[in-house]
Amino acid sequence: MYDIIVIGGGASGMTAALYALRASKSVLILEKENFGGQIATSPRVENFPSIKTMSGLEFSDNLFAQIDALGVAFELDTALKIQKQGDIFVVEGEYNTYEARSVIIANGVKHRKINVEGEDELIGHGVSYCATCDGAFFKDQETFVIGDANSALQYALLLANYSPKVNLITLFGKFFADDILIRRIKENDKIVVHDNWNLVELKQNNGELQGLVFENRLNKELKKEFKASNVFIAIGQIPDNERFSNLVELEKGYILTDEDMATKTEGVFACGDTRKKGMRQLVTACNDGAIAAMSAIRYIDTLDI
C-alpha cells in the first residue's frame, strides 16, 4: 500500500513524486518503458528557467537521481486500469496489481504514426520516432526526418551532427516551430528542406528499410523517391487515456482537470501532457506535477482526519 501511485515516469510524474516524497508520502511510479518521457529524447533544452542549455536526457537523469535518493519505489509496468474501492485505489498492471490512497496520472502522450504500410514492422529497422535514441546508428549516412514542428526541427539539427546530409520533409509549405529553430535550420548547410511531400510508401528488403516514396501534396501525380536506410517520424503525439475513462472525463483523448489538477474523481489527479492544456512545455509539465502532488497530499490528509 502506497500513499500515492504516479502513472508515468516523465518530467511531470517525477516532479509529482519529488514533492510528495519531500512531504514524507510513500510513492510508487509505474512506468511502462523508460524514465524521462518525451523530454529525454530532446537533444537540447534552452527554455528551462535558470539553465542556459542542457539535454533532455541530462534533465531526466538528474530528476530521477533526485527522487531515487528520497526513496521512491518504481516498477516497469503498464497501468491497464484503475478501480476505486472505498478510499483505496487499485491499479491493475500488466504484471501486478498495486494499491494506493491516491493516484496521479502522468502518462504523457505517445508518438503519432504516419500510418503507411510496413511502418510497425520496420520500427527499429530503419523507422524511428527518436533521433536522440537512434541517430548515432546512422552516423555518416544521409538521413531523413518527416515533420514540420519543434521536434522535427530539433531532430534535423541533431542529425546534422552525425550526417553529411539531412532531408527535412514537410507536408505543408511552412514550419510550425519556434523562430530560433527555423533560423538554425536555414543556416545549416547540411539540412535540405523538401516542402509539400506526403509519405506514401516504405520500401524494404529482408525486413530493413531501403527507400522512401513521397507524393506531392499539391500535385498528386508527382512523386519523389529516395534510397534510405532510415526515417525519423516527428509528426506529433496523441493521448492514451481511454483505459482510465471510468474515473476521468476526456476531451479528444485528453484528461480534463481543474487548476488543482483534480479530475472528476476525488483522489485522482492528472498532470503534464496527458491533460487538456494550452501549452505543453517542460516547465509547465513540472508545474503541473508539483500542483498535482500538493493536491494529492491535501486529499490524503483529509482521509486521516
Side-chain angles (χ1 to χ4, degrees):
M1 169 70 68
Y2 296 90
D3 289 319
I4 300 172
I5 290 177
V6 179
I7 298 174
S12 195
M14 287 196 288
T15 300
L18 173 65
Y19 274 74
L21 289 163
R22 287 176 57 84
S24 299
K25 302 301 182 185
S26 59
V27 180
L28 169 67
I29 297 181
L30 296 179
E31 168 55 47
K32 65 180 179 179
E33 292 177 348
N34 299 305
F35 282 83
Q38 296 283 341
I39 196 63
T41 68
S42 181
R44 183 180 296 177
V45 178
E46 297 180 331
N47 58 358
F48 195 80
S50 83
I51 300 175
K52 185 176 180 180
T53 184
M54 62 179 171
S55 72
L57 184 59
E58 179 185 3
F59 171 85
S60 299
D61 285 349
N62 288 340
L63 182 52
F64 181 79
Q66 192 175 11
I67 62 174
D68 188 42
L70 290 171
V72 71
F74 56 88
E75 294 285 346
L76 289 175
D77 201 352
T78 300
L80 301 177
K81 65 180 180 180
I82 308 169
Q83 300 289 337
K84 188 173 186 181
Q85 300 177 0
D87 289 334
I88 302 301
F89 291 94
V90 179
V91 180
E92 181 180 324
E94 186 175 354
Y95 304 113
N96 210 336
T97 299
Y98 313 90
E99 294 184 349
R101 297 195 289 172
S102 181
V103 174
I104 298 175
I105 302 172
N107 60 318
V109 290
K110 60 184 179 181
H111 294 290
R112 186 182 298 277
K113 295 184 178 179
I114 208 162
N115 293 324
V116 173
E117 184 177 355
E119 181 177 3
D120 289 340
E121 292 82 356
L122 287 170
I123 294 174
H125 299 276
V127 171
S128 176
Y129 305 91
C130 177
T132 307
C133 310
D134 302 328
F137 294 129
F138 303 99
K139 184 178 180 181
D140 299 325
Q141 298 181 40
E142 184 174 1
T143 53
F144 298 82
V145 179
I146 298 175
D148 49 26
N150 282 344
S151 293
L153 274 62
Q154 286 183 325
Y155 283 4
L157 290 165
L158 172 66
L159 291 168
N161 295 323
Y162 307 124
S163 173
K165 181 180 179 181
V166 180
N167 297 281
L168 178 55
I169 302 155
T170 74
L171 183 61
F172 301 100
K174 64 177 182 178
F175 291 120
F176 302 89
D178 294 341
D179 290 342
I180 189 171
L181 292 175
I182 296 173
R183 184 171 72 247
R184 287 175 178 170
I185 290 292
K186 292 179 178 178
E187 292 173 350
N188 196 310
D189 294 336
K190 288 185 176 181
I191 300 173
V192 179
V193 179
H194 308 264
D195 288 330
N196 299 309
W197 293 97
N198 180 38
L199 182 69
V200 293
E201 183 180 355
L202 295 166
K203 291 197 168 185
Q204 59 177 293
N205 184 33
N206 294 324
E208 299 292 333
L209 181 67
Q210 297 291 314
L212 306 169
V213 179
F214 294 88
E215 179 182 78
N216 188 274
R217 182 180 65 86
L218 305 177
N219 179 358
K220 300 297 185 181
E221 297 179 357
L222 185 61
K223 291 191 176 182
K224 181 182 290 189
E225 183 173 343
F226 298 94
K227 289 184 179 180
S229 62
N230 63 85
V231 61
F232 295 87
I233 300 172
I235 57 172
Q237 297 87 31
I238 53 178
D240 183 23
N241 292 315
E242 288 297 330
R243 55 200 153 132
F244 309 131
S245 60
N246 60 315
L247 296 179
V248 302
E249 186 178 355
L250 303 178
E251 183 175 309
K252 295 182 178 179
Y254 292 98
I255 298 174
L256 297 182
T257 70
D258 63 16
E259 63 181 12
D260 294 322
M261 306 299 139
T263 70
K264 72 175 185 178
T265 300
E266 281 193 322
V268 178
F269 305 88
C271 57
D273 288 356
T274 195
R275 76 181 189 95
K276 183 186 177 184
K277 55 191 295 186
M279 186 177 183
R280 291 183 170 83
Q281 292 288 303
L282 177 59
V283 69
T284 63
C286 294
N287 172 76
D288 284 3
I291 294 172
M294 298 310 295
S295 295
I297 291 165
R298 286 194 296 270
Y299 167 76
I300 291 170
D301 288 347
T302 64
L303 300 178
D304 293 335
I305 296 174

